[in-house]
Amino acid sequence: MVVALIIACEVGFWVLLALGLAARYLLKWRRTSVFLLLCEPVLELVLFAVTAIDLRNGAEPGWEHGLAALYIGYTVAYGHYTIRWLDGHAAHRLAGGPPPVKPPRYGKARARHEGRLWVRTLLGAAVAWALLQGAVWYVGEGDVSSLRAFQWVAVRVAAIHGLVALGYLIWPKKDPAGTPEVTAERQAEKEGARR
């Protein structure tokens, strides 16, 4: 049941996002769009509640409960980022807005970008770890090895992403001087620094 709900929440996330962006840019219904996008966190609350009820009703803690915690952690950390990113693309494609700024590809700017993404991953891992720890305490004396295993999955994901981000800092990719793409990226970085 929990796995089906995780899949339903993921599908629901994208359906609500598509409906919200369509209402905003195609139908020009700003309030409806805001309402639809604010319904996104409700999906995670439903998943959290159903997982807790499943455990309370005596379900053996399994991988599906760990996966639910990782999904909620990811959505907390990257949900708003994803919505904002897609909103920029929808504004450009559907409403004639400016093209969204691409992430930097070279040098320290890329390292900073990767560092900010790693902080999001760290937040997601911390949320997942805390939810799993709460589930361990909630279950009490039962077999919680699968929940503990998913706690370590969250820690490993954050550590691996941290190493990748650190690699961009230690070995920054050099930009080929004078190419139009790089010049545009430098201009975008300068404008971002002024804000």
Side-chain angles (χ1 to χ4, degrees):
M1 178 173 88
V2 175
V3 175
L5 188 59
I6 292 170
I7 294 168
C9 284
E10 181 66 14
V11 170
F13 175 86
W14 292 106
V15 168
L16 282 173
L17 184 56
L19 290 174
L21 294 176
R24 176 174 291 175
Y25 295 112
L26 296 177
L27 302 173
K28 308 292 188 220
W29 296 347
R30 180 96 174 141
R31 286 186 180 178
T32 304
S33 169
V34 170
F35 173 76
L36 288 168
L37 294 176
L38 287 176
C39 286
E40 297 280 3
V42 173
L43 296 172
E44 280 64 47
L45 292 175
V46 168
L47 178 60
F48 177 75
V50 168
T51 304
I53 290 168
D54 191 44
L55 288 172
R56 186 185 68 200
N57 289 339
E60 190 70 28
W63 64 270
E64 61 274 6
H65 300 102
L67 183 62
L70 290 179
Y71 177 79
I72 292 170
Y74 176 84
T75 304
V76 166
Y78 281 97
H80 185 264
Y81 177 82
T82 303
I83 291 170
R84 194 175 67 231
W85 180 79
L86 284 172
D87 185 49
H89 283 278
H92 173 62
R93 300 269 188 223
L94 302 175
V101 177
K102 293 182 180 179
R105 295 176 53 193
Y106 305 106
K108 291 181 183 178
R110 176 64 186 256
R112 280 191 300 274
H113 174 73
E114 292 296 328
R116 285 190 296 268
L117 289 179
W118 175 71
V119 169
R120 287 185 180 280
T121 300
L122 194 61
L123 170 65
V127 168
W129 195 92
L131 289 173
L132 289 163
Q133 186 59 43
V136 166
W137 290 334
Y138 190 65
V139 169
E141 298 297 320
D143 180 22
V144 293
S145 59
S146 64
L147 300 177
R148 293 279 186 210
F150 271 90
Q151 282 182 310
W152 284 109
V153 168
V155 170
R156 282 193 302 264
V157 166
I160 291 168
H161 192 179
L163 290 174
V164 170
L166 186 62
Y168 280 101
L169 182 64
I170 295 172
W171 300 288
K173 186 175 178 183
K174 305 287 185 216
D175 57 342
T179 61
E181 179 181 314
V182 174
T183 306
E185 284 181 9
R186 286 186 187 146
Q187 185 64 30
E189 288 174 19
K190 288 178 187 175
E191 289 174 10
R194 287 184 207 146
R195 291 181 193 168

